[in-house]
Amino acid sequence: MQLDYNTLYYIEVDDEMTITSVDNSIACGIFTDIGDYTDEQESLREFMNLRKGGYLGVMAHGDSMIDAGIEDGDTILIEPRIVPSSGDMVLARYENDYTIKYLYRDKDAILLCPANPDYSVITFPEGVEPEIIGVVDKVIKKSKSLPLREIKAMVKDRTNKQREIEILENTVREGLMDEDHAWKEDVPRELIAVWTDMVSAELGVSRKWIWAEKKWGLKNLRISYNNAVESVRFGEYDEIVKRILAK
């Protein structure tokens, strides 16, 4: 299946990748109504009830963001879970219309700014503001007719990296790593090996021993894991890592 640039996609990363489409495009020029939905399609509002790993992919329409490298027909991946900061490029909604612009805030107004001098800034006075659906994460040029499997792989890779960071931070809090995510010297090599086995399964890492040995400059983790399995402390190590993964 090829990516259809006339379609808004919802991409959900969970145990199984799912994708739902809604026919329409998002304005990079003027506001445009998102349109009606059939009984089989969820509304954009319902799309916002995202679980971890959910993304929106929208087709750009117009040229108001041309100086930011977004052209008519490009596909934009939107990250709905990031809290936008002033200066971020966002997908915004106001009075049932949607647009992609730079978001700026000052003490008196909220501004949606184009990246094309031929277009005007959209100004919202104090007390009036658009709904920010999400922050622009990536732009896929229309010249790249990406297969759906590549879109899924890209989103899954990003989600795995986020999960890896969470696990490393949990390992720091458990007292096994320092703030730079380096293993502390007093951590048993067998515990590191059990951690590697369980974390690599969580992240879907292939060639787990090579992954960990290159990342931390270790050697012979496979042997350490075999020693751990035979050790009376294996159950203790297993519980420690389960606690890390559960946080």
Side-chain angles (χ1 to χ4, degrees):
M1 176 181 178
Q2 299 293 312
L3 183 62
D4 180 357
Y5 291 97
N6 294 312
T7 303
L8 181 150
Y9 285 103
Y10 166 58
I11 302 172
E12 177 67 48
V13 181
D14 48 21
D15 291 337
E16 295 183 3
M17 297 288 297
T18 61
I19 187 164
T20 306
S21 62
V22 177
D23 292 337
N24 232 304
S25 60
I26 299 298
C28 283
I30 58 174
F31 279 111
T32 184
D33 192 337
I34 201 70
D36 297 326
Y37 298 88
T38 69
D39 292 339
E40 291 78 23
Q41 295 169 332
E42 294 180 87
S43 68
L44 189 60
R45 171 74 62 181
E46 289 169 327
F47 275 139
M48 293 305 98
N49 295 323
L50 299 177
R51 291 180 289 172
K52 181 179 178 180
Y55 288 78
L56 293 175
V58 299
M59 184 190 75
H61 173 68
D63 62 356
S64 74
M65 300 302 289
I66 191 71
D67 290 345
I70 299 178
E71 301 175 280
D72 188 273
D74 289 346
T75 296
I76 305 164
L77 284 187
I78 305 295
E79 166 57 270
R81 296 173 302 282
I82 295 177
V83 177
S85 301
S86 185
D88 283 343
M89 191 186 303
V90 300
L91 170 59
R93 174 183 182 270
Y94 182 68
E95 293 184 346
N96 295 318
D97 292 331
Y98 296 78
T99 191
I100 289 176
K101 295 288 185 293
Y102 283 116
L103 171 71
Y104 291 99
R105 303 177 187 270
D106 61 31
K107 60 182 180 180
D108 298 319
I110 294 176
L111 309 176
L112 293 178
C113 300
N116 184 334
D118 294 336
Y119 290 80
S120 300
V121 173
I122 303 169
T123 303
F124 298 86
E126 186 177 4
V128 180
E129 58 181 80
E131 177 186 0
I132 305 303
I133 303 301
V135 176
V136 172
D137 182 65
K138 285 184 174 63
V139 178
I140 303 169
K141 305 304 291 181
K142 64 181 179 181
S143 59
K144 296 182 178 179
S145 184
L146 289 179
L148 180 58
R149 64 180 178 274
E150 293 187 31
I151 300 290
K152 289 181 177 181
M154 180 171 59
V155 175
K156 185 174 183 180
D157 179 65
R158 177 182 172 85
T159 303
N160 281 353
K161 288 179 180 178
Q162 292 172 337
R163 178 59 176 150
E164 181 180 344
I165 291 172
E166 290 175 358
I167 292 171
L168 292 175
E169 289 300 313
N170 292 343
T171 307
V172 171
R173 284 189 282 271
E174 192 70 26
L176 304 180
M177 288 181 172
D178 62 25
E179 294 297 326
D180 294 323
H181 299 156
W183 291 101
K184 292 185 177 180
E185 292 184 2
D186 60 346
V187 177
R189 184 62 59 89
E190 289 77 11
L191 173 53
I192 296 175
V194 173
W195 183 97
T196 298
D197 179 65
M198 297 173 67
V199 169
S200 63
E202 173 85 4
L203 299 177
V205 173
S206 60
R207 306 178 72 184
K208 57 188 175 185
W209 306 123
I210 294 176
W211 167 72
E213 289 172 357
K214 289 182 63 177
K215 194 174 185 70
W216 287 286
L218 304 172
K219 293 182 179 180
N220 300 321
L221 277 182
R222 184 192 296 273
I223 296 174
S224 296
Y225 180 78
N226 292 336
N227 292 338
V229 171
E230 297 174 359
S231 169
V232 295
R233 300 188 66 185
F234 179 79
E236 175 189 344
Y237 298 153
D238 182 76
E239 288 300 318
I240 291 172
V241 181
K242 285 180 179 177
R243 189 162 62 240
I244 290 171
L245 295 177
K247 292 180 180 178

